Amino acid sequence: MAEKRFDVTHMPGVATIAIVTFLALYIPVLILVVNAFNASDTAGRWEGATLRWFAAALDNTAFRRAALNSAIVALTAATLSTVLATAAALAVTRGRHIKGQGGIFVILNQPLLVPEIVFAIALMVVLAQVKQATGYQGLGYVIVAHTTFCIPFAFLPIRARLSGMDLTLETASMDLYASRFYTFRRVTLPLLLPGILAGFMLAFVISLDNVVVSSLIKSPGQETLPTYLMGELRRNLTSEIYAISALLLFASISIVAASWFVTRTRQ
Amino acid sequence: MLDIRSLSKKFGAGNSAFHALKSIDITIEEGEFFTLLGPSGCGKTTLLRMIAGFEQPSGGQLVLDGKDIAMIPPNNRPVNTVFQSYALFPHMTVAQNVAFGLEARGATPSEVAGRVDEMLEIVQMSHLRDRKSSQMSGGQQQRVALARALAPRPRILLLDEPLSALDLKLRKQMQVELKRLQREMGLTFIFVTHDQDEALTMSDRIAVMEGGTLQQVSDPRALYDHPANRFVAEFIGDANFLAGVIADAKLGMAGQPPVPLPRNEAANGPVTVMIRPEQVVVGPLAKDAITLNGRIETLVFSGNDTQASVRLQNGETLRLRAQNNLHAETTLTEGQRLQVSLPLDALRLLPQEAADAA
């Protein structure tokens, strides 16, 4: 192509802006991680590397309980939301045209449209009534709440995968004596799997680092990792908090990386 | 074997309804290589999809071995398809693809294994049995698609333009192989194509379709030599159409005195006279021919023959093909005045259609 097109990457200063943005995003995180390994009690003075804070965190029963809660909530909410999102994606892309299909998108994207704090307060008010009526105080409320806002995140990669899938494959399966269910099990589902995994991991991460909804919905005494950290912060900024933050960060990054890897290789 | 009886399909309803097929009747025989030929949008693919079960007819019957299958879902029909895009399952190996139909039908593992080996042998793909379909060339995918569709021993194999994605050389080679396979195994093929050469070289019988209707069903030779109408004559091969008038078993055309016809095939009145360019003879013929005067307007050399466009005295244009034989008696040059002869037995009298009059 001889004709020169406008290309933003050729504008002056693009590289500089990119580098500054990158540093602004990652330097604070890097400092936090470094502090988590710092032998000194006070941040900012490096006294050699240690795993002491990690050991202290793992020894801390309150942290362990919060981590376990987070894991339970994230796993269950991600699983539930992925199942629902898969069903929704199948209905939208495969089913006959349903009346008011636009409405489905409004429902699915509710968590993106309604401010999180508004949703959290609304849910808190309703669930408070339910808690009083049933007497149940468990993690179920947090799980249900997390499931709702995880659905759109699980939905997007699944739907993308489904709409990119060649419909002829399902036709071919039906042509080769497969029932609808057999076709779903042997053709649609295996081909959809990378999308489902990506959706699941995305939902898992979204649930894992949620603060606002968790802190308003949880019953007294219940903590997830982020709400536990918030509580600890109010009292004292210790190196143990850095270590816990670093752990949360590693968990999040590895899951996102894994999901990226899965979608890349299983195309 | 397969009786297609007044089959019709319309999409939509009311005034905006589109009639993809208008009451089609065909009988396809066991062991036949039957081709549905026509331009895109003629209804050939809709007909194929209905035989496969992907579309439901709006009316009519599809009788296979004495049983109406029109409303039976595709997974219960003993009919398999080779798709234009092959539609191989990308997450499965070659062998798994071929095994799919057998497994879906509930064949035992040993049956499946035996049949898969046999099919891969037939299409010469045994050495690639553990490959994923994404790692294969178009020709290889084509063979796997064929093996997969034939493995469950369908009563009829449907082929939806299966060769259109291949390059010319491979396409020719696959044409020969497909034909050989069909003949040796005694299979019944229904083949859809828009490529008339492909249809002529492979088929036992061809159904030419246009606008959702059958134009003509016959063997390739008859289709080429005796087209039923102008559309068929034009779609299959190259054709000249000249105006003529029949009166008392004599044909008059291009201002020439009427010539008696060997057989009185047409009623009195205007007709369209069709002749293939290769049937036109340069120079006068002693008898049973109409000889006309004209002038060569253009010459196109195309290797084995030369195509000339001749302007006749009455203003009509006649195209002819002359073999480029070194020992040919006459050479053609542009602007040359010449006599051309139309042998009477090479003329086809077609009913005049509304479009011809214009």
Side-chain angles (χ1 to χ4, degrees), chain B residues 115-127 147:
Chain B
R115 184 70 177 152
V116 168
D117 288 345
E118 187 189 344
M119 288 318 300
L120 289 176
E121 194 75 34
I122 289 172
V123 298
Q124 297 157 34
M125 288 294 291
S126 305
H127 59 298

Side-chain angles (χ1 to χ4, degrees), chain A residues 62-154:
Chain A
F63 161 76
R64 289 217 303 262
R65 213 178 304 126
L68 182 66
N69 280 346
S70 264
I72 293 173
V73 170
L75 269 177
T76 332
T79 308
L80 288 175
S81 58
T82 306
V83 170
L84 293 171
T86 306
L90 281 169
V92 170
T93 53
R94 287 295 186 275
R96 280 158 204 273
H97 192 83
I98 316 165
K99 254 191 190 166
Q101 227 171 45
I104 293 175
F105 287 95
V106 175
I107 295 169
L108 284 168
N109 292 322
Q110 183 270 2
L112 306 179
L113 295 172
V114 179
E116 193 182 3
I117 183 70
V118 175
F119 176 62
I121 292 171
L123 210 55
M124 178 184 75
V125 172
V126 173
L127 291 184
Q129 305 284 323
V130 179
K131 279 182 195 179
Q132 213 162 37
T134 60
Y136 172 66
Q137 297 281 325
L139 272 178
Y141 301 109
V142 182
I143 291 173
V144 168
H146 278 215
T147 304
T148 57
F149 66 75
C150 282
I151 288 176
F153 295 97

Side-chain angles (χ1 to χ4, degrees), chain A residues 9-243:
Chain A
T9 56
H10 289 152
M11 298 290 285
V14 167
T16 321
I17 293 172
I19 291 167
V20 168
T21 312
F22 182 82
L23 294 179
L25 284 172
Y26 284 96
I27 286 217
V29 180
L30 193 70
I31 291 173
L32 178 141
V33 174
V34 169
N35 276 328
F37 289 100
N38 191 352
S40 161
D41 270 341
T42 38
R45 216 173 60 228
W46 180 257
E47 284 178 9
T50 178
L51 287 176
R52 180 152 68 98
W53 310 119
F54 289 95
L58 293 176
D59 232 21
N60 177 345
T61 30
F63 161 76
R64 289 217 303 262
R65 213 178 304 126
L68 182 66
N69 280 346
S70 264
I72 293 173
V73 170
L75 269 177
T76 332
T79 308
L80 288 175
S81 58
T82 306
V83 170
L84 293 171
T86 306
L90 281 169
V92 170
T93 53
R94 287 295 186 275
R96 280 158 204 273
H97 192 83
I98 316 165
K99 254 191 190 166
Q101 227 171 45
I104 293 175
F105 287 95
V106 175
I107 295 169
L108 284 168
N109 292 322
Q110 183 270 2
L112 306 179
L113 295 172
V114 179
E116 193 182 3
I117 183 70
V118 175
F119 176 62
I121 292 171
L123 210 55
M124 178 184 75
V125 172
V126 173
L127 291 184
Q129 305 284 323
V130 179
K131 279 182 195 179
Q132 213 162 37
T134 60
Y136 172 66
Q137 297 281 325
L139 272 178
Y141 301 109
V142 182
I143 291 173
V144 168
H146 278 215
T147 304
T148 57
F149 66 75
C150 282
I151 288 176
F153 295 97
F155 177 77
L156 289 176
I158 297 173
R159 195 182 68 118
R161 181 85 191 171
L162 258 182
S163 46
M165 202 186 288
D166 182 5
L167 270 178
T168 330
L169 296 175
E170 286 164 22
T171 310
S173 168
M174 300 285 279
D175 186 56
L176 290 161
Y177 312 103
S179 62
R180 278 185 186 282
F181 178 70
Y182 193 85
T183 300
F184 179 73
R185 192 164 65 79
R186 296 242 6 227
V187 179
T188 317
L189 195 60
L191 289 171
L192 195 54
L193 205 58
I196 292 178
L197 283 176
F200 174 83
M201 287 172 182
L202 210 55
F204 187 89
V205 170
I206 295 292
S207 162
L208 194 65
D209 70 20
N210 181 276
V211 184
V212 176
V213 172
S214 301
S215 50
L216 293 198
I217 302 304
K218 72 187 174 65
S219 305
Q222 272 173 6
E223 298 291 353
T224 63
L225 265 188
T227 62
Y228 170 74
L229 278 176
M230 291 291 281
E232 288 298 293
L233 268 181
R234 252 178 238 130
R235 283 192 272 157
N236 208 346
L237 184 60
T238 62
S239 295
E240 195 181 315
I241 289 181
Y242 290 135

Side-chain angles (χ1 to χ4, degrees), chain B residues 249-270:
Chain B
K250 288 181 178 175
L251 169 66
M253 56 187 295
Q256 299 289 309
V259 194
L261 288 168
R263 281 167 294 133
N264 188 9
E265 336 176 36
N268 287 354

Side-chain angles (χ1 to χ4, degrees), chain B residues 295-358:
Chain B
R295 198 174 67 87
I296 296 181
E297 282 200 319
T298 53
L299 272 183
V300 177
F301 171 78
S302 62
N304 61 338
D305 62 14
T306 297
Q307 291 146 43
S309 180
V310 177
R311 172 75 64 159
L312 300 176
Q313 266 174 343
N314 70 343
E316 287 180 303
T317 304
L318 182 76
R319 279 167 300 119
L320 64 88
R321 276 169 182 268
Q323 291 285 318
N324 288 331
N325 187 316
L326 268 183
H327 301 278
E329 288 171 18
T330 49
T331 50
L332 303 175
T333 50
E334 246 167 60
Q336 177 190 350
R337 295 197 168 277
L338 80 172
Q339 282 195 312
V340 287
S341 297
L342 315 180
L344 288 182
D345 54 3
L347 298 180
R348 301 288 167 250
L349 305 179
L350 304 178
Q352 205 169 34
E353 290 160 32
D356 298 351

